[in-house]
Amino acid sequence: GNMNKTLINEMKKLDNSGLNDVMDLARELMVMNGKMLFKPGMKVFMVQKTKKTPGVIVRILQKNAVVTLDSGRNYRVPMSMLEAA
């Protein structure tokens, strides 16, 4: 997307410690966005480096979702690894 120029310029002034704080915040916001997006019964993909595994969300936990994969097994998956199907 088109990121705010002011934000980019401010980030360029940060040292690595500050950038780590920004990344932590970004991850938290991504989890929060995911929580709003993901709901039980929803079809998702568990995304790993080389493959996408289809599954269905059983329930939402703090930072993870419990997902039933095609194999019929349940896995706790970090929200960051999930993608809406």
Side-chain angles (χ1 to χ4, degrees):
N2 184 2
M3 219 158 110
N4 187 322
K5 279 204 168 61
T6 313
L7 182 57
I8 292 171
N9 288 333
E10 287 303 314
M11 284 176 72
K12 284 178 178 170
K13 297 176 194 168
L14 295 173
D15 61 5
N16 281 353
S17 165
L19 288 170
N20 272 323
D21 290 345
V22 169
M23 288 197 297
D24 286 344
L25 174 62
R27 268 190 218 101
E28 274 175 42
L29 293 172
M30 285 165 77
V31 167
M32 284 163 58
N33 287 344
K35 275 191 186 156
M36 286 183 260
L37 180 74
F38 297 125
K39 293 176 174 49
M42 194 172 154
K43 288 192 166 112
V44 290
F45 288 111
M46 183 171 81
V47 181
Q48 289 153 297
K49 282 188 183 73
T50 53
K51 61 179 182 173
K52 282 184 174 189
T53 313
V56 176
I57 293 179
V58 184
R59 62 177 206 255
I60 303 288
L61 305 170
Q62 197 77 35
K63 288 185 176 165
N64 301 312
V66 180
V67 178
T68 302
L69 300 182
D70 283 353
S71 61
R73 295 181 56 188
N74 283 2
Y75 291 92
R76 274 184 161 193
V77 185
M79 303 266 192
S80 56
M81 280 176 65
L82 293 179
E83 198 176 272

